[in-house]
Amino acid sequence: MTEQLDAGLVGRQIAESDQLGDPKDGREVGRARRRKEDARLITGRTTWTDNIQLPGMLYVAFLRSPIAHARITRVDASAARARPGVVAALTGRDFADEQGSLPCAWPVSEDVVIPDHPPMASDEVRYVGEAVACVVATDRYKAVDALEAIEVDYEPLEAVLDMTEALAEGSPKVHEAGNQAFTWKFSGGDAEAAFRDAPVVIDRTYVQQRLIPTAMEPRAVVATTDGGSFTVYSATQIPHILRVMLALTTGIPEHRLRVIAPDVGGGFGSKLQVTAEEVLCLLLTRRLGKPVKWTESRSEGNLTVHHGRDQIQKISLAAERDGRIRGVRVDLLADMGAYLMLVTPGIPLLGAFMYNGIYKMDAYDFRCTGVFTTKMPTDAYRGAGRPEATFAIERTVDELAHELGMDPLEVRRRNWITHQEFPYATIAGLTYDSGNYEAATDRAMALLGYDKLRAEQADRRDRRDPVQLGIGVSTYTEMCGLAPSRVLGSLSYGAGGWEHAAVRVLPTGKVEVVTGSSAHGQGHETAWSQIAADALGVPFEDVSVLHGDTAIAPQGMDTYGSRSLVVGGIAVLRACEKVKAKAAELAAHLLEASPDDVEFSTGTFAVRGTSEGKTIQELALAAFAAHDLPEGFEPRLDAEVTFDPENFSFPHGTHLCAAEVDTETGMVRIRSYVAVDDVGHVVNPLIVEGQVHGGIAQGIAQALFEEAVYDSDGNLLTTTMADYLIPSAADLPDFVTDRTETPAASNPLGVKGVGEAGTIASTPAVVNAIVDALRPYGVNDVPMPCTPERVWRTLAGAAPPGSTAAGRGGAGESEGGER
Amino acid sequence: MPRITVTVDGITYEEEVEPRLLLVHLLRDRLGKTGTPVGCDTGNCGACTVMLDGKSVKSCSVLAAQADECDVVTIEGLGRAGELHPMQQAFHAEHALQCGYCTPGMIMAAIDLLRDTPDPSDEAIREGLEGNLCRCTGYSNIVRAVRRGAREMSGETPAPATGGEVRTS
């Protein structure tokens, strides 16, 4: 018989292997610590939301619209109520007085239209999958069974699927107010002048296909009440924001609401949301007085977890004949889907400041129109606006290079901000604080063997090899560390971008770090422990990190936008410094010395020039006992900090992809992939590398595999993992990664953030490689995802099949040339 | 209702099950074996992989009734005498997990892969784990972990964990 795992023994094995990290001068920050989180994850002792069982728990199943757009003329749930085990069967009408409207926290413009978004539809459905009724039963099978007994009559309305058609006169309307959700403009410099008489103008249209984020853990919600207060467990990235929003949406007072994000199995932006199911489960537990649980199936998730991307980008670039960029114009259509969810309209605008990339130019002009369609709403997906922007500029710069007959890296060198020029105020109004594009690029070229591959490419072209080689370049930067609150305010965002941390040195000298960040795979328990261990001079093992529960970590702005280290981690550091200042004051008092004479080193406060000292553990006990404290000194050694960053941070890097394209079959094989990223100083290189790997994989997936496909009636066709292809190990290459390091100037750790970098960088690197391989065939674009069929059809000169009606810009649609 | 006898992680259970009850739901909802998660409904993701009489199966694609008289090992039953299984240790050492949701199934599939191919090439590892999807890691570290686990299981001394800077496989 297998014996049960012994927690102590497992802990010791984990601790022993944690020593594998290479210590740098005894400091924790910078060390490749193995993760604290792993112990429970590799042994199955996890608390996923669906694992939670409470006495008397009931199970919820939702009936969802099978039609993209329809008026609901009748819903009858009475037969379902008679089914065995069914406790309740409810329709949108039953929730009408209490369900409110799902929030949009980012009213981006004066003209924004924010339609009413009831969590459960009662009059009209606007996308396939919208909930129209629910069953609550004693087990999950019975709940699903009883959905069959609910009758719904629909009066079909016209689906609205194509953004351009949606904006045309006479289009059927998604909402009464029309299909335009907002318009938004931004400009820097004089674009008119930059384009007037420009020797070279490149015009392109790129389609950012709709993606499904596909975190491995499906969403789940558990809601319970004791009659007066409510607890919601949810697979969410944002327990704090969710608490505020649930209070505002349902009217349940905020102080009676507790939100817990237990172990959360990935998010990638998809769990940065206030969902219909969260609101409805909360209302159900209030109505029934019993704990309720809902866990989505994957098919349900593909239909109703918000989607990402889905933009049509028209980009124009004006340049001199020597390759110098004069200006860029961008005109964007962004598919909102049927409603504006938490930050839906803001997503394309997060890219608005990034279409200039790492380049100097005289003028930049950006406009965006948000469009309603009868599809699942879009919202944040890894990178959120910035991958789209990076794709457009990096693809277009490659087009410029081709137009001028230059090497794509040479064109970039002529335009990028040189390392001596930082801090640099960009044409888009941001100040890039630091970077060294030259260093990252040189390193990437060396690792790839750039020149040798170019020679092989030339040889294959000469030989007319049916398998052509392409080299794709992506020199990206991104704005992350969301965000300075005043900037968010100026962009009409509904909240700030600060983060909170509390640090408590307990009477026994152990340390609790409480963070408002809400990790779901990022390794904060490990990284925050490293930061606190260094700052307080305590062992890494003596720090525990608490998060993800509004009763335990009451303040926070949660985890998204590569913000956690840059904002949350700095908050932890600041709180440690506050604790240290307090400890120094107490040490001076106990040592009868002037505070100015007390020095701190590796956990001990000593009087300068003497061996007399107090350890932080001794001081914690003294502060707890409180018998002998300085005048006005509050007992306990703890501190709280709310930190608001002054600037974004700007990671950057150079990604190079070598791809072989079989011109006979259209098959693309990535032969090698090199990523050199500059994410500033690094707290844990192991975690950073893991983030880069995963990010690259998701970016490659957009380039080659993934697309949410709707048919001409608005039915989602990619509802399972058999239809929506997230890559397996066999589909991806190994990655060669390295780092260059220019510290961020905007924070004391010099860190920049790494969660989204790989995804932002890799998509254009891959597509640039494919197009580069096919240049001799007259190809200047392949629409994503670059499946064998799309590549083959592009080569055959045929238009790829328009699986969604949105104009699939292929080779034929773009044009470039001299003016 | 069919009555089944099934051994899970060394404990024998007698259960009455609906014919349609999935093994993964028996494990999770009835036996409290929540270490095995569900990631999809279609047998594509492999998060729910367990050993059934020594071979890996996706427990969302097996009926509980089919497990009658069978021996099931889940991630919670791996490792003996309070020690981690070498593959668990290898996943930790190589940072082969982030959110950890796919990890139980990935570890079970990796162990099964080594049963057939004790010393697999990287390509064989990638092909062999094709039925287990991970959204976080990009798989590079999973491949390293399986290699490391293979070495440890064959009794070789593992190389020091790689970490940090330039890494190619």
Side-chain angles (χ1 to χ4, degrees):
Chain A
M1 191 181 107
T2 310
E3 291 176 44
Q4 293 305 300
L5 282 167
D6 175 272
L9 269 171
V10 169
R12 201 164 68 227
Q13 287 176 67
I14 293 278
E16 278 165 11
S17 67
D18 286 342
Q19 302 304 321
L20 294 166
D22 39 311
K24 262 188 199 163
D25 52 41
R27 288 172 58 79
E28 284 295 338
V29 169
R31 188 172 175 186
R33 274 281 188 192
R34 270 56 192 165
R35 297 195 320 168
K36 290 183 169 184
E37 291 85 345
D38 292 355
R40 66 181 188 279
L41 297 169
I42 56 176
T43 54
R45 286 181 298 208
T46 34
T47 312
W48 312 115
T49 299
D50 186 62
N51 293 5
I52 295 165
Q53 293 286 4
L54 299 172
M57 182 173 267
L58 302 172
Y59 297 81
V60 183
F62 290 99
L63 186 68
R64 298 181 179 280
S65 170
I67 300 176
H69 196 194
R71 199 161 287 125
I72 300 170
T73 53
R74 188 180 72 99
V75 190
D76 184 355
S78 55
R81 289 184 197 111
R83 291 290 187 101
V86 171
V87 174
L90 301 164
T91 71
R93 294 263 154 83
D94 296 317
F95 291 107
D97 295 337
E98 55 176 349
Q99 69 175 347
S101 181
L102 291 175
C104 173
W106 203 338
V108 291
S109 64
E110 294 279 317
D111 69 353
V112 69
V113 175
I114 302 183
D116 193 40
H117 187 186
M120 186 175 282
S122 56
D123 301 319
E124 193 168 324
V125 288
R126 295 184 175 87
Y127 63 92
V128 170
E130 194 166 358
V132 296
C134 69
V135 168
V136 188
T138 52
D139 80 37
R140 54 177 112 212
Y141 285 44
K142 290 189 175 85
V144 173
D145 282 349
L147 292 180
E148 287 173 5
I150 300 175
E151 290 177 25
V152 187
D153 292 340
Y154 297 99
E155 182 186 308
L157 301 167
E158 278 187 88
V160 179
L161 303 169
D162 179 284
M163 284 195 273
T164 311
E165 287 172 18
L167 292 176
E169 191 104 357
S171 166
K173 289 178 180 177
V174 181
H175 296 281
E176 202 44 50
N179 297 334
Q180 180 179 293
F182 68 88
T183 55
W184 197 90
K185 286 177 191 167
F186 175 84
S187 59
D190 185 348
E192 203 63 43
F195 278 79
R196 193 183 311 130
D197 307 323
V200 183
V201 174
I202 308 286
D203 291 316
R204 291 290 185 272
T205 299
Y206 296 117
V207 176
Q208 295 286 327
Q209 80 269 34
R210 183 174 271 254
L211 300 177
I212 303 178
T214 321
M216 288 310 297
E217 182 205 18
R219 288 178 303 157
V221 185
V222 168
T224 183
T225 180
D226 62 7
S229 60
F230 298 83
T231 301
V232 175
Y233 302 80
S234 182
T236 181
Q237 297 173 223
I238 53 159
H240 300 94
I241 294 171
L242 181 58
R243 182 193 191 204
V244 176
M245 289 300 172
L246 286 175
L248 290 172
T249 305
T250 64
I252 292 173
E254 190 181 349
H255 64 295
R256 301 259 174 81
L257 262 171
R258 175 182 180 187
V259 175
I260 300 174
D263 284 329
V264 176
F268 315 111
S270 71
K271 293 169 181 171
L272 163 54
Q273 194 52 272
V274 177
T275 67
E277 294 83 0
E278 287 164 335
V279 171
L280 293 167
C281 284
L282 177 58
L283 298 178
L284 283 168
T285 198
R286 178 166 74 175
R287 181 181 288 244
L288 302 171
K290 287 284 195 184
V292 300
K293 173 153 83 180
W294 168 76
T295 302
E296 74 186 358
S297 68
R298 179 60 63 182
S299 306
E300 208 175 9
N302 279 16
L303 284 167
T304 64
V305 171
H306 71 242
H307 294 169
R309 315 283 191 257
D310 207 343
Q311 299 173 5
I312 300 174
Q313 309 169 295
K314 284 190 195 303
I315 180 167
S316 302
L317 182 148
E320 307 289 354
R321 282 232 67 94
D322 64 1
R324 196 183 66 78
I325 299 170
R326 294 168 61 141
V328 167
R329 276 179 173 148
V330 175
D331 190 355
L332 203 62
L333 290 182
D335 193 339
M336 305 286 100
Y339 301 96
L340 302 186
M341 296 193 73
L342 191 61
V343 289
T344 300
I347 298 304
L349 310 187
L350 285 171
F353 307 97
M354 291 273 99
Y355 279 86
N356 52 311
I358 62 170
Y359 309 113
K360 295 176 281 190
M361 59 186 73
D362 305 325
Y364 170 57
D365 205 36
F366 174 90
R367 52 192 296 159
C368 175
T369 305
V371 186
F372 289 116
T373 59
T374 54
K375 298 181 192 172
M376 181 63 208
T378 56
D379 208 313
Y381 173 53
R382 202 170 191 171
R386 291 155 292 159
E388 298 94 311
T390 303
F391 181 89
I393 186 65
E394 289 302 293
R395 282 287 296 109
T396 305
V397 168
D398 258 33
E399 295 301 300
L400 174 65
H402 173 68
E403 176 64 26
L404 298 174
M406 289 171 68
D407 183 279
L409 281 167
E410 182 51 34
V411 171
R412 286 169 169 83
R413 280 183 199 282
R414 287 191 191 180
N415 286 288
W416 69 37
I417 302 157
T418 63
H419 69 275
Q420 301 95 333
E421 292 176 283
F422 290 97
Y424 185 88
T426 75
I427 195 69
L430 297 174
T431 300
Y432 294 176
D433 59 337
S434 71
N436 188 332
Y437 308 140
E438 301 94 320
T441 302
D442 290 347
R443 184 75 183 126
M445 289 175 76
L447 286 172
L448 185 77
Y450 187 81
D451 296 334
K452 208 172 150 199
L453 281 173
R454 281 285 178 217
E456 182 186 331
Q457 177 184 46
D459 177 56
R460 288 197 192 212
R461 285 182 179 178
D462 288 347
R463 285 192 286 115
R464 296 183 185 279
D465 190 330
V467 179
Q468 288 288 318
L469 177 67
I471 302 166
V473 176
S474 173
T475 50
Y476 77 99
T477 188
E478 58 157 326
M479 55 188 253
C480 63
L482 300 180
S485 296
R486 65 183 163 79
V487 176
L488 291 176
S490 71
L491 293 172
S492 309
Y493 184 60
W498 48 265
E499 193 49 271
H500 187 83
V503 170
R504 306 191 281 253
V505 188
L506 304 176
T508 56
K510 307 297 182 191
V511 176
E512 282 178 336
V513 171
V514 182
T515 177
S517 301
S518 192
H520 42 282
Q522 291 87 347
H524 296 169
E525 290 170 35
T526 303
W528 283 202
S529 294
Q530 290 177 271
I531 292 170
D534 273 0
L536 299 173
V538 300
F540 171 78
E541 295 77 12
D542 283 3
V543 184
S544 74
V545 177
L546 309 176
H547 64 90
D549 179 342
T550 61
I552 290 171
Q555 310 292 335
M557 290 300 286
D558 307 317
T559 288
Y560 44 86
S562 302
R563 72 187 304 272
S564 288
L565 177 58
V566 182
V567 191
I570 301 303
V572 169
L573 180 68
R574 290 259 176 109
C576 289
E577 283 164 357
K578 236 169 143 173
V579 165
K580 222 162 64 183
K582 202 173 171 188
E585 187 190 347
L586 178 57
H589 172 77
L590 294 175
L591 297 167
E592 297 178 342
S594 155
D596 295 341
D597 291 334
V598 172
E599 281 180 328
F600 175 76
S601 173
T602 57
T604 300
F605 296 83
V607 180
R608 189 174 291 118
T610 74
S611 59
E612 254 190 302
K614 295 275 180 195
T615 66
I616 194 159
Q617 290 86 355
E618 289 168 339
L619 293 166
L621 185 60
F624 167 76
H627 298 161
D628 180 13
L629 301 177
E631 190 63 33
F633 189 99
E634 285 184 18
R636 300 198 324 262
L637 209 49
D638 49 20
E640 294 190 28
V641 160
T642 302
F643 170 69
D644 202 331
E646 284 173 14
N647 191 3
F648 296 96
S649 59
F650 300 95
H652 73 83
T654 297
H655 286 215
L656 299 175
C657 174
E660 291 178 350
V661 184
D662 187 325
T663 57
E664 290 172 349
T665 65
M667 187 73 189
V668 175
R669 186 180 81 88
I670 294 178
R671 193 163 104 184
S672 50
Y673 194 101
V674 169
V676 178
D677 295 285
D678 183 339
V679 297
H681 285 325
V682 161
V683 173
N684 184 323
L686 200 69
I687 291 176
V688 164
E689 191 194 37
Q691 288 287 325
V692 170
H693 283 176
I696 293 171
Q698 279 182 16
I700 291 175
Q702 174 172 13
L704 295 182
F705 305 116
E706 297 182 15
E707 180 176 29
V709 180
Y710 282 87
D711 72 10
S712 58
D713 294 321
N715 298 300
L716 184 70
L717 301 179
T718 49
T719 55
T720 72
M721 282 182 162
D723 309 298
Y724 187 84
L725 299 181
I726 77 167
S728 77
D731 299 319
L732 292 173
D734 201 40
F735 310 121
V736 178
T737 61
D738 197 5
R739 287 186 286 105
T740 52
E741 207 167 292
T742 53
S746 53
N747 66 68
L749 285 176
V751 295
K752 296 182 181 177
V754 69
E756 296 159 300
T759 304
I760 289 168
S762 60
T763 311
V766 175
V767 178
N768 276 340
I770 295 167
V771 173
D772 186 52
L774 301 179
R775 290 282 187 202
Y777 298 79
V779 169
N780 70 9
D781 193 27
V782 178
M784 295 189 291
C786 303
T787 58
E789 181 189 342
R790 288 243 170 84
V791 172
W792 188 88
R793 282 185 189 277
T794 302
L795 277 165
S803 45
T804 66
R808 284 258 155 260
E813 224 180 81
S814 306
E815 62 179 66
E818 198 166 345
R819 298 236 171 139
Chain B
M1 272 203 278
R3 189 174 184 83
I4 64 166
T5 305
V6 59
T7 303
V8 180
D9 297 338
I11 312 277
T12 302
Y13 301 86
E14 275 194 16
E15 294 285 320
E16 283 193 354
V17 297
E18 272 189 88
R20 63 175 176 169
L21 183 71
L22 299 175
L23 176 57
V24 72
H25 287 147
L26 173 76
L27 294 172
R28 291 180 54 78
D29 296 347
R30 299 267 286 270
L31 309 183
K33 289 282 178 184
T34 50
T36 301
V38 182
C40 72
D41 332 311
T42 45
N44 292 99
C45 83
C48 64
T49 304
V50 299
M51 296 293 181
L52 186 69
D53 286 344
K55 291 184 184 173
S56 70
V57 295
K58 292 176 177 177
S59 60
C60 75
S61 304
V62 175
L63 295 169
Q66 291 174 287
D68 189 24
E69 302 293 332
C70 289
D71 182 55
V72 175
V73 179
T74 78
I75 190 74
E76 297 172 59
L78 272 188
R80 288 190 174 276
E83 286 185 14
L84 288 175
H85 187 282
M87 194 59 79
Q88 289 172 310
Q89 186 69 39
F91 268 63
H92 173 61
E94 294 289 356
H95 185 38
L97 62 149
Q98 291 178 29
C99 83
Y101 199 79
C102 74
T103 308
M106 199 67 81
I107 287 175
M108 301 311 272
I111 292 168
D112 195 35
L113 169 70
L114 297 183
R115 199 172 49 87
D116 299 328
T117 320
D119 184 22
S121 65
D122 283 6
E123 200 185 342
I125 294 170
R126 287 182 179 275
E127 294 290 336
L129 295 180
E130 199 176 22
N132 289 72
L133 299 176
C134 169
R135 193 60 157 167
C136 294
T137 65
Y139 302 104
S140 282
N141 287 353
I142 290 176
V143 174
R144 288 175 189 140
V146 176
R147 259 196 337 238
R148 182 190 188 84
R151 282 195 303 269
E152 297 204 20
M153 287 165 72
S154 69
E156 280 180 45
T157 318
T162 42
E165 305 305 316
V166 183
R167 308 210 323 193
T168 61
S169 281

